[in-house]
């Protein structure tokens, strides 16, 4: 969570938020890294998909990749947290804009309160954050933890 540079090589990290410990694999999002994503899909309990909300030129590309992951049969029941990162930067997309661009409108996602889910929605939810400023991502991890037993 403290890394601020783009991921150049996949690596494993342990993230602890509150009393919850996540064993994570940061695979990166550049074209070469995407080729390895499917190698990890069969053994994951959740997906964190981070989008640069300050780079609207790449949102279409992010949507294509997210749609591809959501279409994978082995991830059908896996919860997805979609983080809109870099909200601290001027001109970054707001949550409504990010949702619209990614096709993840409020009524189509699970809901931020797992106890009051949107009926028929897949476990996918959008959270806005700034990793650099250390805000917003804890909520996404807490949401994800409600699906992991």
């Amino acid at each position: 969570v403290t890394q601020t540079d783009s991921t150049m090589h996949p690596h494993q990290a342990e993230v602890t938020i509150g009393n919850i410990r996540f064993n994570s694999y940061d695979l990166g999002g550049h074209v070469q890294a995407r080729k390895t994503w499917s190698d990890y899909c069969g053994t994951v309990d959740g997906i964190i998909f981070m989008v640069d909300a300050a780079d609207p030129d790449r949102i279409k590309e992010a949507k294509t990749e997210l749609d591809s992951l959501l279409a994978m049969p082995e991830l059908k029941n896996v919860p997805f947290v979609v983080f809109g990162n870099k909200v601290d930067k001027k001109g970054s997309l707001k949550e409504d804009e990010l949702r619209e661009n990614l096709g993840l409108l409020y009524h189509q996602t699970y809901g931020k309160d797992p106890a009051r889910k949107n009926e028929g929605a897949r476990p996918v939810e959008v959270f806005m954050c700034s990793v650099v400023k250390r805000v917003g991502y804890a909520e996404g991890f807490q949401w994800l933890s409600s699906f992991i037993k």
Side-chain angles (χ1 to χ4, degrees), residues 49-51 58-67 102:
F49 190 88
M50 192 164 290
V51 177
R58 294 195 60 207
I59 296 298
K60 184 176 179 182
E61 179 183 5
K63 179 182 178 3
T64 298
E65 294 304 325
L66 179 59
D67 287 348
L102 296 178

Side-chain angles (χ1 to χ4, degrees), residues 16 33 61 96:
T16 302
E61 179 183 5
D96 290 344

Side-chain angles (χ1 to χ4, degrees), residues 33-143:
R34 292 181 210 159
K35 295 176 183 178
T36 68
W37 289 359
S38 62
D39 296 341
Y40 292 83
C41 290
T43 60
V44 298
D45 294 316
I47 302 277
I48 303 283
F49 190 88
M50 192 164 290
V51 177
D52 185 342
D55 189 355
D57 294 337
R58 294 195 60 207
I59 296 298
K60 184 176 179 182
E61 179 183 5
K63 179 182 178 3
T64 298
E65 294 304 325
L66 179 59
D67 287 348
S68 175
L69 287 171
L70 290 169
M72 295 177 73
E74 58 266 51
L75 298 177
K76 182 174 83 169
N77 298 312
V78 172
F80 279 72
V81 172
V82 178
F83 279 125
N85 188 29
K86 299 186 183 175
V87 297
D88 55 301
K89 289 196 169 190
K90 184 178 178 181
S92 66
L93 295 174
K94 304 294 182 224
E95 183 174 343
D96 290 344
E97 297 168 312
L98 182 64
R99 283 177 172 277
E100 186 174 327
N101 280 283
L102 296 178
L104 298 174
L105 303 178
Y106 288 99
H107 69 280
Q108 297 170 313
T109 59
Y110 200 85
K112 293 189 180 178
D113 180 354
R116 299 179 55 211
K117 72 175 188 167
N118 289 329
E119 288 302 319
R122 188 171 175 178
V124 176
E125 196 49 67
V126 177
F127 296 87
M128 304 306 283
C129 71
S130 169
V131 172
V132 171
K133 299 285 184 180
R134 296 180 163 229
V135 296
Y137 58 84
E139 293 85 355
F141 277 96
Q142 288 169 345
W143 181 88

